[in-house]
Amino acid sequence: MEYSNPEIPEGINTSKTNPLKELVILTVGVIGAIFAIVSLLIFVVDNFADQIPFEVEQNLPMSSFTEMQGVEPLPPYLAKISQKVINSFNLPEQMHITVHYVNDDVVNAFATLGGHIVLYRGLLEKLKYEDELSMIIAHEVSHIKHRHPILNASHGAVIGLALSFLGASSGNSVVNDLLGTTSMVTLMKYSRENEHLADKDAIDSLVKIYGSAEGAIGLFDVLNSEYSDRGEVEFFNTHPLNKNRTAEAREAINHSRIINSVVRAPIPSEFSRWLKANKIEAKETKKVRID
Amino acid sequence: MADLIILVTLLALGYGFGRYSESTHYASIRKREKTLNAIPAIASRIPPQGNPNFDSQLVSGSVVISVDYFKRFIAGLRNLVGGRMTSYETLLDRARREAILRMKEEADRLGASMVFNLKLETASIHKGRRNKIGSVEVLAYGTALTPN
Amino acid sequence: MIVSNLEILPGKKITKHLGLVQGSSVRAKHVGRDLMAGLKNIFGGELKGYTELLQESRQEAHERMLEQAKAVGANAVLNIRFSTSSIAAGAAELFAYGTAVIVE
């Protein structure tokens, strides 16, 4: 009997594929698929979450605001303007909106589950005119009117679940990061569309109340001085860039041929003084807490 | 944005170094396979009968090799889509051939003329929960027959 | 090509041993299958997707082994063994190896 070890040709147990080509195909394919899946989930969830009655949303445990830090009773001026803005929307009867004031330096305002709108002192301080304040409130009311808070919460839950399934299958943390980023960018695109919608509604409301949409441009200027567009890419943002929002507001104004020569009511000095006193008060309580 | 740059850099590094180390490894495997061809490794359990008589001794060789960042990334994507995982094919091919070579080298030191009843064991080594994929260990063992 | 896990073929004489031939294949199933298998794991029962995955892989490993045997000029592969290892979650490697021989 003879024993020998002949040479076996290469390449039987390995595939001859170009790794770079495979990388491109897989990456493009997976990103495209995730984009499609997330868009589809958003679409499906939107149709379901829309059916959730507003009362149910209001009774959700996370819709309670009494425990949030710094929530203070709404000053009469804010209550008055809020009412004015809310009245300009034709909200369904059961949709009840509650505006809150928070004594904090954050330059922000947001709408959340249960019809709550939160205004921070930091943002209010920067305003000069009443219509700018109305613009903020109107923007947030529009979010609630279109049920954006509940829709966003539902998207987060459903897409998070889907991603965790996919993540378990890939078993690679880098690939999971890629999946997360792709779905985030898709959600951001959706979020920017919502912001456009809210801006549009808010401008309509301003026109209804003041006969002018100057407040929108004023507000975007304020935001721009606080959060500059410089170095920002709209693709990676939940909100459209300020310059685009301003441009859109300008276009809306031109389109509806509004006369801009309306006299704008400034924020009452009494209210500004009250905000200032609040700021000092907040500083002092902070100091006490640190001591 | 910074994440993307880091990812691309790591992929490029993985691709470059991975390819380089793979081709040098293959070159070395081919070279040593040629020189060790004189010692056949046979997967049969029955040793040759009759003359000459043989001394027998267990010989083994093992190796742990890992896949590079680039291939691991491709494998992660492939795991979502399904299909042939090309990333791991060369990894396993290299590991097996290397393990057999190391076993033969040991047999060569003993002056053996062949290795019988060759067996191969493969184990995947998991490194933590988040980075499950990575390296394989291959163990090759058999009985070296030395004519006396 | 004779393929067997016997070491000696009854009634046939091995004239030449040509050493080890091997075939391997690593494959994965798409996420949908992984998902179904995950669910099946809760209720028990056959994981059809994975049975299929392993069968396909084993088939390919087998074919690759035969290709190597053909390349070295063998007409039989004896004493073949299969081994399975999980390389990554959801991916499996199937490995087949045996001795390539020439029989009369």
Side-chain angles (χ1 to χ4, degrees):
Chain A
M1 206 183 301
E2 226 187 306
Y3 295 94
S4 73
N5 231 3
E7 219 171 288
I8 296 165
E10 295 284 336
I12 290 176
N13 278 320
T14 51
S15 315
K16 281 173 239 20
T17 47
N18 185 343
L20 290 176
K21 198 173 139 199
E22 193 177 4
L23 175 77
V24 171
I25 291 173
L26 282 175
T27 314
V28 172
V30 168
I31 288 180
I34 295 298
F35 179 78
I37 290 169
V38 171
S39 302
L40 182 75
L41 283 179
I42 289 176
F43 178 75
V44 173
V45 169
D46 272 10
N47 283 328
F48 276 103
D50 245 359
Q51 312 299 318
I52 302 173
F54 193 74
E55 289 88 350
V56 175
E57 183 185 327
Q58 265 180 319
N59 290 330
L60 289 175
M62 55 271 210
S63 305
S64 149
F65 260 88
T66 45
E67 280 147 41
M68 191 172 154
Q69 209 179 46
V71 173
E72 291 182 12
L74 198 65
Y77 175 68
L78 285 184
K80 190 183 93 188
I81 303 296
S82 303
Q83 203 48 54
K84 207 191 279 189
V85 172
I86 293 167
N87 289 342
S88 77
F89 280 83
N90 290 323
L91 293 179
E93 214 169 291
Q94 75 278 13
M95 201 173 265
H96 184 72
I97 289 180
T98 327
V99 182
H100 304 266
Y101 164 78
V102 177
N103 186 5
D104 197 296
D105 289 330
V106 181
V107 183
N108 196 9
F110 64 87
T112 185
L113 290 175
H116 296 277
I117 293 176
V118 176
L119 305 171
Y120 284 96
R121 174 178 40 81
L123 179 58
L124 298 180
E125 272 171 356
K126 307 244 184 262
L127 305 178
K128 292 192 192 70
Y129 293 98
E130 185 193 301
D131 52 3
E132 292 167 356
L133 172 62
S134 304
M135 177 69 190
I136 299 171
I137 300 171
H139 178 98
E140 305 305 344
V141 170
S142 165
H143 274 316
I144 293 171
K145 183 184 162 199
H146 294 288
R147 312 291 305 273
H148 290 161
I150 186 92
L151 294 183
N152 289 344
S154 318
H155 296 156
V158 171
I159 289 164
L161 193 69
L163 278 184
S164 72
F165 274 123
L166 289 178
S169 177
S170 94
N172 183 320
S173 58
V174 186
V175 171
N176 293 353
D177 288 350
L178 183 78
L179 299 184
T181 310
T182 310
S183 52
M184 207 170 70
V185 167
T186 317
L187 277 174
M188 281 171 173
K189 179 175 162 279
Y190 174 83
S191 162
R192 286 196 302 274
E193 281 165 12
N194 285 350
E195 298 299 331
H196 273 304
L197 184 63
D199 280 351
K200 213 176 128 274
D201 271 14
I203 288 169
D204 289 348
S205 154
L206 282 194
V207 172
K208 226 185 242 175
I209 303 170
Y210 301 102
S212 146
E214 275 296 286
I217 294 168
L219 175 67
F220 297 147
D221 284 345
V222 167
L223 290 178
N224 196 34
S225 63
E226 195 59 31
Y227 305 101
S228 173
D229 281 345
R230 203 173 307 153
E232 291 284 349
V233 188
E234 188 166 277
F235 193 65
F236 290 113
N237 270 294
T238 55
H239 286 62
L241 295 185
N242 292 321
K243 63 168 191 244
N244 295 347
R245 293 175 88 172
T246 310
E248 200 143 290
R250 285 240 157 77
E251 201 183 313
I253 291 166
N254 291 340
H255 193 71
S256 51
R257 294 202 191 88
I258 308 154
I259 314 117
N260 291 328
S261 56
V262 177
V263 180
R264 299 170 71 196
I267 300 272
S269 55
E270 204 178 312
F271 183 67
S272 302
R273 271 203 299 281
W274 182 83
L275 285 176
K276 226 169 252 165
N278 251 268
K279 187 177 186 170
I280 295 164
E281 192 186 306
K283 253 189 200 146
E284 273 166 2
T285 45
K286 212 180 208 172
K287 219 166 143 195
V288 169
R289 225 173 283 148
I290 291 164
D291 290 347
Chain B
M1 208 59 198
D3 288 353
L4 196 69
I5 294 167
I6 293 172
L7 176 69
V8 170
T9 315
L10 285 175
L11 282 178
L13 282 176
Y15 182 69
F17 282 100
R19 250 183 115 87
Y20 175 74
S21 78
E22 187 175 301
S23 64
T24 48
H25 191 201
Y26 262 128
S28 134
I29 286 175
R30 270 184 222 118
K31 203 176 123 224
R32 285 182 296 154
E33 271 178 355
K34 276 215 171 68
T35 58
L36 288 167
N37 230 350
I39 308 175
I42 310 289
S44 169
R45 224 171 38 173
I46 301 168
Q49 306 295 314
N51 291 324
N53 282 324
F54 291 105
D55 282 343
S56 42
Q57 190 180 348
L58 184 76
V59 284
S60 65
S62 72
V63 65
V64 179
I65 53 173
S66 158
V67 71
D68 59 69
Y69 192 89
F70 177 84
K71 290 197 164 180
R72 195 172 299 147
F73 184 77
I74 286 194
L77 291 175
R78 177 57 79 189
N79 226 333
L80 296 174
V81 183
R84 190 178 284 153
M85 303 189 88
T86 51
S87 287
Y88 293 132
E89 288 182 337
T90 50
L91 175 79
L92 288 156
D93 190 44
R94 277 159 62 201
R96 292 221 168 88
R97 288 163 78 173
E98 179 68 35
I100 294 174
L101 279 174
R102 289 184 182 182
M103 182 198 68
K104 282 187 177 181
E105 275 158 10
E106 197 188 327
D108 192 36
R109 278 196 294 278
L110 295 170
S113 63
M114 61 180 88
V115 179
F116 249 79
N117 200 16
L118 168 69
K119 285 185 180 172
L120 289 161
E121 279 297 327
T122 314
S124 63
I125 296 176
H126 291 195
K127 187 189 118 230
R129 219 187 78 76
R130 266 175 82 72
N131 230 341
K132 276 181 183 170
I133 322 150
S135 31
V136 286
E137 196 232 8
V138 174
L139 168 71
Y141 58 105
T143 305
L145 300 181
T146 319
N148 59 2
Chain C
M1 185 77 66
I2 302 163
V3 181
S4 166
N5 68 344
L6 292 176
E7 289 168 43
I8 310 167
L9 289 174
K12 287 215 163 123
K13 193 167 170 257
I14 299 165
T15 54
K16 198 170 180 188
H17 276 259
L18 295 168
L20 183 81
V21 284
Q22 43 178 302
S24 85
S25 161
V26 199
R27 279 164 183 262
K29 275 280 172 215
H30 62 81
V31 203
R33 294 286 202 173
D34 288 343
L35 199 67
M36 291 311 289
L39 290 178
K40 257 292 171 52
N41 251 333
I42 300 173
F43 303 112
E46 186 189 346
L47 307 177
K48 285 241 170 58
Y50 285 167
T51 307
E52 198 181 290
L53 165 75
L54 293 177
Q55 256 165 7
E56 281 168 13
S57 292
R58 192 169 289 122
Q59 187 61 32
E60 183 168 42
H62 190 85
E63 276 159 16
R64 283 177 163 181
M65 183 188 68
L66 293 186
E67 203 179 321
Q68 284 204 345
K70 236 175 261 161
V72 299
N75 64 0
V77 183
L78 301 184
N79 197 19
I80 72 160
R81 302 195 182 102
F82 288 102
S83 88
T84 316
S85 46
S86 74
I87 299 299
E93 194 229 5
L94 263 292
F95 179 49
Y97 64 108
T99 311
V101 294
I102 297 174
V103 293
E104 263 176 359

